[in-house]
Amino acid sequence: MKYYINKLSYVKPSNKKLEMVVNFLLQFEHTLIEGNFYRFISAVEEMVKSVNEQFQRSKKIKLKVIEASEVSESVTLYIEYDPANSDQSLARLSLNPVKDTIYLQP
């Protein structure tokens, strides 16, 4: 199956760590993923882990994945602060399934 990354929603990065996360995710905006989207999710997990290790003294961030359900076939990735006192997600990225492709003649 193909998934399309439509638009990245994020709050303005307040420090270098968050800026690195947003810049990493921005490169995938308006991108088509063909095949297994779990490889993309694991790449984002690796980036979050790397950034958390690089900036150990700041608040940790975590990746929360809400997978496709019967109601909605999209997959949503949330980047959030690790401490539970912050309910606001820093960034949200949705992978929407592509149902069909239309080829138009010029």
Side-chain angles (χ1 to χ4, degrees):
M1 183 171 240
K2 295 179 185 179
Y3 287 86
Y4 181 70
I5 301 173
N6 187 13
K7 183 167 172 39
L8 172 67
S9 302
Y10 61 93
V11 296
K12 184 178 180 203
S14 58
N15 57 34
K16 180 102 173 141
K17 179 179 186 176
L18 303 180
E19 187 176 329
M20 288 175 67
V21 171
V22 168
N23 288 337
F24 177 80
L25 294 174
L26 276 172
Q27 69 182 337
F28 299 109
E29 191 172 34
H30 305 297
T31 301
L32 185 66
I33 298 175
E34 192 166 355
N36 189 348
F37 64 85
Y38 290 108
R39 290 197 325 206
F40 171 73
I41 292 174
S42 66
V44 175
E45 286 174 339
E46 284 297 318
M47 182 275 313
V48 167
K49 182 179 175 183
S50 170
V51 170
N52 280 331
E53 289 173 357
Q54 187 176 357
F55 297 94
Q56 292 181 1
R57 294 179 56 185
S58 65
K59 290 181 182 178
K60 292 199 180 293
I61 56 175
K62 67 177 184 174
L63 174 67
K64 180 179 174 184
V65 178
I66 299 177
E67 292 194 35
S69 66
E70 293 176 11
V71 177
S72 171
E73 294 180 358
S74 65
V75 177
T76 306
L77 284 69
Y78 292 96
I79 305 290
E80 302 174 327
Y81 281 113
D82 199 342
N85 60 5
S86 177
D87 291 333
Q88 182 181 17
S89 53
L90 305 171
R92 187 187 74 201
L93 189 68
S94 292
L95 286 75
N96 303 302
V98 177
K99 296 181 180 177
D100 201 359
T101 304
I102 298 173
Y103 298 99
L104 301 174
Q105 297 295 328

